[in-house]
Amino acid sequence: MRPRYFEDLKTGAHFQSKSMEVPGKAIIEFAEKFDPQMFHLDPKSAERSIFKGLVASGWHTAAMTMRLFVQTMNFAEGAIGLGVDELRWPNAVRPEDSIQVETEILATRQSRSKPDYGIVHLRNVTTNQRGEIVQTMTAHAMIPRRLEAVRS
Amino acid sequence: MRPRYFEDLKTGAHFQSKSMEVPGKAIIEFAEKFDPQMFHLDPKSAERSIFKGLVASGWHTAAMTMRLFVQTMNFAEGAIGLGVDELRWPNAVRPEDSIQVETEILATRQSRSKPDYGIVHLRNVTTNQRGEIVQTMTAHAMIPRRLEAVRS
């Protein structure tokens, strides 16, 4: 797939990622490093929690979403996150779930301060294998423009 | 330190985390798994990027912030994130930086649907060793109440 630049992103465009399996081991590994709470760490204790079983940290879901987003979008020179709004986790990711991300381009504009970049406002919706939404967010990202576009 | 419940969180209270060093190796390791973009992966290529050197993924900064938050707050039965707003990364985290988190309780209320829980609105500000802000966010979290408080 041809690497993408700012010019390749049109308002209203949708991009669908591949799906990614989430082993229970990965959930526990992330939790040990970054979110050591019992419902992310220990299947037995998690049974007695409000989740009734092991669940991934929301930050793990966010990180896996980024992984799928980066792979799908294949930006030629990367995307620089400026900020995220309305990050929500309506359902938890559980061991052996398979998740995927749909990206919608909400708006685009040229950067005022950096002529080599465009600013994209986008929405990412992450779903599991049953189509349940496990994460929603909107973000602003700075994406390099094609050199010929900058010079024109 | 005594584990905290909802009742221990008062509006306006501040909590300061310990500080945590961020090795370059950890930045690359996180990026390989979750945010494989060259300015997070490869110090040489990162030199030529807008960052002029290797920087941590914003999602890595968010995950390390969660780690420090969980350690500092020491919730008896965990904190369940309901959602995050205005997640911003005004400066990047770089290799060998040392980061810490200050938590401010913005508001608290009892859960309407779950009498065993309270809802806390909080703000986390993550800074580096020079006092520069590397992340800001606000979040709503569900925190278990003390049993005696629920029963009274």
Side-chain angles (χ1 to χ4, degrees):
Chain A
M1 194 182 61
R2 200 165 157 237
R4 287 197 178 92
Y5 288 88
F6 173 69
E7 287 73 17
D8 302 313
L9 306 170
K10 303 296 174 202
T11 300
H14 285 251
F15 301 88
Q16 182 68 51
S17 81
K18 293 186 184 168
S19 64
M20 176 185 178
E21 271 217 34
V22 187
K25 209 179 135 222
I27 290 177
I28 294 168
E29 210 178 280
F30 188 97
E32 283 170 345
K33 274 194 186 158
F34 299 117
D35 195 349
Q37 304 197 81
M38 57 89 176
F39 35 73
H40 303 317
L41 280 175
D42 176 41
K44 281 237 162 145
S45 310
E47 293 275 345
R48 294 189 299 271
S49 77
I50 195 169
F51 296 110
K52 313 278 182 216
L54 193 75
V55 295
S57 167
W59 298 107
H60 189 194
T61 303
M64 292 186 291
T65 295
M66 186 66 188
R67 169 76 194 212
L68 290 168
F69 172 74
V70 166
Q71 282 178 336
T72 305
M73 300 309 291
N74 191 32
F75 292 117
E77 295 166 48
I80 295 165
L82 299 176
V84 169
D85 290 295
E86 294 179 42
L87 176 58
R88 300 286 181 273
W89 298 291
N91 292 285
V93 172
R94 292 170 188 269
E96 321 322 325
D97 272 2
S98 179
I99 63 171
Q100 50 184 325
V101 178
E102 185 169 358
T103 299
E104 180 184 356
I105 308 299
L106 301 176
T108 66
R109 65 171 177 84
Q110 291 185 20
S111 166
R112 281 180 280 263
S113 59
K114 297 189 177 62
D116 299 358
Y117 287 86
I119 312 284
V120 175
H121 189 205
L122 61 89
R123 179 174 166 83
N124 276 340
V125 177
T126 314
T127 49
N128 65 18
Q129 68 280 12
R130 287 180 299 279
E132 295 158 349
I133 295 176
V134 295
Q135 184 181 286
T136 59
M137 54 170 267
T138 66
H140 286 88
M142 213 166 77
I143 319 272
R145 297 175 63 197
R146 274 207 178 78
L147 212 53
E148 60 266 40
V150 175
R151 283 174 179 167
S152 71
Chain B
M1 194 182 61
R2 198 164 158 241
R4 286 196 178 92
Y5 287 88
F6 172 69
E7 286 73 18
D8 301 314
L9 305 170
K10 303 295 175 201
T11 299
H14 285 250
F15 301 89
Q16 182 67 52
S17 81
K18 294 187 185 167
S19 63
M20 176 184 176
E21 272 217 34
V22 187
K25 209 181 134 220
I27 290 177
I28 294 168
E29 209 178 280
F30 188 97
E32 283 170 345
K33 272 193 187 160
F34 299 118
D35 195 349
Q37 304 197 80
M38 58 90 174
F39 35 73
H40 304 317
L41 279 174
D42 176 41
K44 283 236 162 142
S45 312
E47 293 276 346
R48 295 189 299 271
S49 77
I50 194 168
F51 295 111
K52 313 276 181 219
L54 194 75
V55 295
S57 166
W59 298 107
H60 189 193
T61 304
M64 292 186 290
T65 295
M66 187 65 189
R67 170 76 194 209
L68 290 167
F69 172 74
V70 165
Q71 282 177 336
T72 306
M73 300 308 292
N74 192 32
F75 292 117
E77 296 164 49
I80 296 165
L82 298 177
V84 169
D85 290 295
E86 294 179 42
L87 177 59
R88 300 287 180 272
W89 299 290
N91 292 284
V93 172
R94 292 170 188 270
E96 321 321 324
D97 272 3
S98 180
I99 63 170
Q100 50 184 326
V101 178
E102 185 169 359
T103 299
E104 180 184 356
I105 307 299
L106 302 176
T108 66
R109 66 172 177 83
Q110 292 185 18
S111 166
R112 281 181 279 263
S113 59
K114 297 188 179 62
D116 299 359
Y117 287 86
I119 312 285
V120 174
H121 189 204
L122 60 90
R123 179 174 165 84
N124 276 340
V125 177
T126 313
T127 50
N128 65 17
Q129 69 279 12
R130 288 180 299 279
E132 294 158 349
I133 295 176
V134 294
Q135 184 181 287
T136 58
M137 54 170 265
T138 66
H140 286 88
M142 212 167 76
I143 319 272
R145 296 176 63 197
R146 276 208 175 78
L147 211 53
E148 61 264 40
V150 176
R151 283 176 180 166
S152 70

